[in-house]
């Protein structure tokens, strides 16, 4: 069964220019043929029909004059988006990607940059359900046609980053190395602060790709006092000062509070390796932001998981946690330098106050209920 049509897209800003061009003698035949081909999609009854209609659309575009001006580009993008529905087989997805590729090659970079958002609506979500046959084709499409657009990618950069992080998978996946390279190409084509802002946003808002976002951040953030793993950039590029106490902080705290244990553990490993509390983190964040980060780290302790507890202890003290059991309070205090000790004390008081407030309210409510019962 063919999936129902999705929501309507807004018309592009340059619609009037395209309409004027399509009304000329040169493009009139293309427009009429495209009208008929698009109407055929409404009659599709099975997925094989979609392949037939996509092939018809390709033939129309192949013989169209250069540069290609896509008639009814919003409707064309909508039909291609529907052909990438998760319920359809890989054969339909591949034929649809071939159609995208043909369009991208014939319209040229300038026109593609203007219309990229409409075509991206169908392409970006494909990574979530792309088969092993389809994913390499999709990555080829991104490498060949998206990356060269450079700064013109800004309006859809967050969506493209989310798409690539979804395709990244874990370190053992077949596409991991290739997608890491594409993300680096994208960082070069735009800028390190722009791409990393998208990565931090994905870490904050998209729980499904938090592990992949942490993986990329861990691999590319510079080590304390040095440059990134790829040999370039400083911390100010990967976590700009203007977003460090807002976006970066909120993303790290959200990852620390993720219910999946592996996410806060990986976040603590990132903090240990790239933002150690006794050096980089103290200099990178404001006192208030650093206190919020420490509160986020301490909040994982009630989970009572040794893997998390050991990493929190190591991040707070800068020491290995081999002797976490048994040291005297005086010895434990000596592990914290005065600045870190003050931040730790403030964070602990804030955490205890936050935890105690609901308990106090519950106790007061219980007492009030008991008093009412006694009065009755």
């Amino acid at each position: 069964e063919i999936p129902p049509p999705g929501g309507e897209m807004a018309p592009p800003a340059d619609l009037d220019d395209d309409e004027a061009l399509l009304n000329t003698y040169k493009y009139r035949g293309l427009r009429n043929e495209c009208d008929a081909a698009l109407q055929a999609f409404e009659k599709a009854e099975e997925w094989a029909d979609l392949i037939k209609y996509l092939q018809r659309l390709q033939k129309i575009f192949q013989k169209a004059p250069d540069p290609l001006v896509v008639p009814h580009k919003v409707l064309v993008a909508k039909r291609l988006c529907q052909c990438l529905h998760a319920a359809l087989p890989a054969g339909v997805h591949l034929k649809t990607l071939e159609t995208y590729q043909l369009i991208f090659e014939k319209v040229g970079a300038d026109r593609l940059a203007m219309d990229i958002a409409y075509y991206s609506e169908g392409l970006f979500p494909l990574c979530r359900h792309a088969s092993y046959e389809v994913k390499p084709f999709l990555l080829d499409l991104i490498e060949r046609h998206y990356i060269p657009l450079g700064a013109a990618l800004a309006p859809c950069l967050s969506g493209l980053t989310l798409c690539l992080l979804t395709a990244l998978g874990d370190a053992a996946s077949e596409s991991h190395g290739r997608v890491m390279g594409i993300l680096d190409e994208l960082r070069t084509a735009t800028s390190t602060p722009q791409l990393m802002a998208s990565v931090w946003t994905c870490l904050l808002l998209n729980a499904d790709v938090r592990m992949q976002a942490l993986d990329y951040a861990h691999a590319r953030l510079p080590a304390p006092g040095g440059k990134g793993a790829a040999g370039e950039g400083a911390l100010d590029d990967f976590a700009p000062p203007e977003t460090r106490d807002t976006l970066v902080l909120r993303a790290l705290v959200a990852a620390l509070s993720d219910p999946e244990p592996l996410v806060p553990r990986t976040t603590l490993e990132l903090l240990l390796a790239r933002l150690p509390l006794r050096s980089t983190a103290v200099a990178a964040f404001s006192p208030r932001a650093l206190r919020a980060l420490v509160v986020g780290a301490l909040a994982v302790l009630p989970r009572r998981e040794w893997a998390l507890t050991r990493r929190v202890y190591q991040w707070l003290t800068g020491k290995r946690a081999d002797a976490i059991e048994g040291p005297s309070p005086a010895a434990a205090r000596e592990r914290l330098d005065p600045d870190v000790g003050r931040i730790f004390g403030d964070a602990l008081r804030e955490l205890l106050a936050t935890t105690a407030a609901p308990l106090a309210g519950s106790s007061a409510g219980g007492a009030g209920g008991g008093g009412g019962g006694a009065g009755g």
Side-chain angles (χ1 to χ4, degrees):
E1 184 180 352
I2 303 304
E8 295 295 332
M9 299 180 191
D14 58 331
L15 184 60
D16 292 341
D17 294 340
D18 285 352
E19 285 296 317
L21 196 56
L22 288 167
N23 282 327
T24 62
Y25 177 79
K26 182 179 179 181
Y27 286 93
R28 196 173 300 152
L30 167 66
R31 179 172 188 164
N32 294 336
E33 287 188 81
C34 196
D35 284 344
L38 290 172
Q39 288 175 8
F41 279 88
E42 299 174 7
K43 303 173 185 176
E45 296 180 355
E46 56 184 19
W47 63 263
D49 293 335
L50 294 176
I51 292 182
K52 181 172 65 175
Y53 301 148
L54 287 167
Q55 288 173 333
R56 179 179 176 184
L57 207 56
Q58 287 179 16
K59 290 178 182 177
I60 293 170
F61 291 150
Q62 283 168 349
K63 65 181 183 180
D66 291 324
L68 172 64
V69 178
V70 179
H72 308 295
K73 68 179 75 174
V74 177
L75 183 57
V76 169
K78 179 179 176 180
R79 293 292 178 242
L80 294 179
C81 176
Q82 290 169 345
C83 290
L84 294 178
H85 192 278
L88 294 170
V92 177
H93 294 169
L94 286 171
K95 184 60 66 175
T96 307
L97 292 179
E98 288 177 9
T99 309
Y100 275 111
Q101 180 170 304
L102 176 62
I103 292 172
F104 291 174
E105 288 173 350
K106 294 209 67 175
V107 298
D110 292 340
R111 185 165 291 278
L112 178 59
M114 290 189 292
D115 300 336
I116 195 69
Y118 302 97
Y119 299 117
S120 299
E121 187 170 342
L123 285 172
F124 290 171
L126 178 61
C127 262
R128 291 198 299 266
H129 53 264
S131 68
Y132 73 94
E133 308 165 82
V134 173
K135 187 179 289 187
F137 202 127
L138 175 60
L139 295 178
D140 281 340
L141 206 63
I142 292 172
E143 274 191 295
R144 292 178 58 185
H145 299 287
Y146 275 77
I147 302 298
L149 296 180
L153 289 171
C156 65
L157 185 58
S158 294
L160 179 55
T161 305
L162 177 59
C163 170
L164 290 171
L165 289 176
T166 303
L168 185 61
D170 57 34
S173 67
E174 185 178 330
S175 60
H176 184 273
R178 182 181 181 185
V179 177
M180 287 288 279
I182 296 175
L183 282 166
D184 287 338
E185 290 176 26
L186 182 58
R187 179 159 57 91
T188 302
T190 53
S191 72
T192 298
Q194 279 184 302
L195 177 69
M196 289 307 300
S198 297
V199 172
W200 295 122
T201 300
C202 290
L203 180 61
L204 173 63
L205 299 177
N206 297 276
D208 291 340
V209 297
R210 278 188 178 143
M211 285 298 298
Q212 294 94 315
L214 290 167
D215 182 12
Y216 187 75
H218 197 165
R220 296 298 181 255
L221 253 67
K227 291 191 173 184
E232 73 287 271
L235 182 62
D236 285 354
D237 296 323
F238 291 87
E242 60 270 20
T243 63
R244 206 175 289 165
D245 286 356
T246 52
L247 175 60
V248 177
L249 171 69
R250 291 172 60 206
L252 291 171
V253 171
L256 286 168
S257 63
D258 193 286
E260 175 60 43
L262 194 56
V263 176
R265 191 174 94 178
T266 307
T267 307
L268 289 166
E269 289 173 354
L270 172 66
L271 294 176
L272 280 167
R274 301 293 182 244
L275 293 167
L277 182 60
R278 292 162 66 96
S279 56
T280 308
V282 170
F285 294 97
S286 68
R288 183 176 180 180
L290 188 57
R291 183 171 69 248
L293 187 57
V294 173
V295 168
L298 292 175
V300 308
L301 295 178
R303 301 191 191 196
R304 296 185 179 183
E305 295 188 26
W306 171 247
L308 297 175
T309 303
R310 177 167 58 86
R311 286 169 173 80
V312 171
Y313 181 87
Q314 189 174 350
W315 185 61
L316 290 173
T317 63
K319 307 286 185 180
R320 291 181 59 83
D322 300 335
I324 190 170
E325 295 183 9
S328 66
R333 282 194 297 271
E334 288 176 0
R335 292 181 182 271
L336 297 175
D337 62 42
D339 291 337
V340 174
R342 281 193 296 273
I343 293 168
F344 173 73
D346 292 342
L348 190 57
R349 281 190 290 272
E350 181 178 330
L351 184 62
L352 290 174
T354 304
T355 306
L359 296 177
S362 176
S363 299

